[in-house]
Amino acid sequence: MSQGYTISELMACVFAREIKDGELGGCPGVRSEVPLASVRLAQRMHAPNTTCYYGAIVYNTDAPLSKFATEYDRIIGAEASVATYEWFDTLHRGDIDFFFVGGMQVDMYGNLNLVCLGDWKKPTLRGPGSAGLNTVTFARRHFIWINEHTSRVFVPKVDFISCPGYLDGPGAREGAGLRWGGPSIVVSPLAVMDFDQETKRMRLRSVHPGVTVDEVKQNTGFELIIPDSVPQTPAPSEEELRVLRTEVDPAGILRNEEPVG
Amino acid sequence: MIDKQTTVENVIAQIHDGATLLIGGWGPARKPMAFLRALAKSPVKDLTIMSFAALDLDLLVGLGKVKKAIYGFTSFEGAPGAMVNFRRARQEGALQAMELSEYMFIAGIKAAAERLPFYPTRSGLGTDILTMNPEIEVITAPYTGEKLVAVPALKPDIILIHVNVADYAGNARIFGDCYLDRLFVRAGGKTFLSAERVVPTGQLAEDGRAMDILGPWVNGVVECPQGAAPGSCYPDYDVDAAKLAEYTWAAQDPENFSAWAKDNL
């Protein structure tokens, strides 16, 4: 393909296609360049009535895509600033349709860890903390984005559950008092995963162009459910790439890496 | 006429060894750094710090002043900089910690602000936050039978908050996000404000909007221009990225960090 897209652009397209028109969504305040791009792409492609909260807290902001966005960046160009207080109430009530979330580790049931590696009492690596992550689970569904697909990140069991996925299987969320929600998809640099309805285990949904099923299996630290036939993740369309590059990301933040396709 | 203007020194003198401090702001935004710089130079120790933490907690940990940290996150949240001192202390097991979600933290302050023993929330269900805080109970709701987390009241002795503008009586306006500061001032304990500007009482009420920080809950006000730097105070100034980077660099060297912080921050 002459125009060569990057993994970040592909991930933004995959997420954008998951967003339905009129939904209320949310992106975390840190390292949200892919989530923000995907929402803005969806708003321009098929979901003009979607509103997305961002950071702590504004919505529908024109803030530049950036790994590091300060409160200043977020407020400038936003449709509204939102009292942090009200935002949590909205989220807890279950009024947010989708939320993006990442982590240092993810396991076969979609549980996420952003707190620490090793024993919590004396961790080998201290992460940013639980933050709003477990509140995210009160969105109707959440999207997991992971920037490194290796068996260090895709582990059998996370060291600390900071954002509950399906915990340890069918019925576990309900047992813990979580009455709705859960992860719907996981997008990594290699593949798209979803969750098997019956077992609640992570299942391979598609592999990105140029990636094999074996490659995904070898880089995943637990047994993925592999359907008999695994399709390829649809590459970004010309229209998606045009909108991404001319309207959503003219500065080329998502292109600041080696193209893959 | 009420006049609560005081000095940074008088505020710091109210903080005793072992005190519990609740610090306003969020990540690098609107932290009361003028107070914390003065605290850094005082002999006070064994503090419990409750904060949506960034530079505030990391600085005090780096100076050996913190016995226990209670937090919903620890991050510079988008600004350059890293929690080097905090991370080191946690990885060495040298700091007591109460790890909460953002909302569990808020719920604990809500309980204190309403003089309730606990506040119910769904936040925390299904997480290891409950495993690591065994004193936090999951309760069964009356009426519905739902499981809810009962977050115990988090009670501060001293509350430190930075605002854009305050008046002599302690009423104050915050022009960016108030974060949880409107709630924090009602959590019990003594509240002290640092303010970019202090104006005569009455000037902040002109537009009829509800006041952001209410004077009756405030014990002292100090005018501190640039009082949140090197963090941000919207719309007066953004983060000082170079200073935060320098801070992060200095924190790599625990031997010399205290001297650096006292002279350079």
Side-chain angles (χ1 to χ4, degrees), chain B residues 78-132:
Chain B
M83 303 284 292
V84 178
N85 290 309
F86 173 77
R87 183 172 290 190
R88 183 190 301 117
R90 281 285 288 122
Q91 290 174 193
E92 289 173 357
L95 180 69
Q96 294 178 38
M98 186 180 195
E99 178 108 35
L100 299 172
S101 70
E102 288 167 358
Y103 194 78
M104 289 172 79
F105 186 108
I106 295 167
I109 304 293
K110 275 187 173 179
E114 296 178 34
R115 215 185 286 279
L116 291 169
F118 67 90
Y119 207 91
T121 174
R122 295 195 176 93
S123 189
L125 290 172
T127 70
D128 282 322
I129 295 170
L130 298 180
T131 321
M132 301 306 169

Side-chain angles (χ1 to χ4, degrees), chain B residues 3-11 192 219-223:
Chain B
D3 189 351
K4 295 179 181 171
Q5 293 183 92
T6 182
T7 62
V8 171
E9 291 67 30
N10 283 341
V11 171
F192 298 100
N219 298 83
V221 176
V222 187
E223 186 169 75

Side-chain angles (χ1 to χ4, degrees), chain B residues 214-237:
Chain B
L214 304 177
W217 274 261
V218 173
N219 298 83
V221 176
V222 187
E223 186 169 75
C224 301
Q226 297 283 310
S232 64
C233 181
Y234 182 89
D236 295 309
Y237 44 92

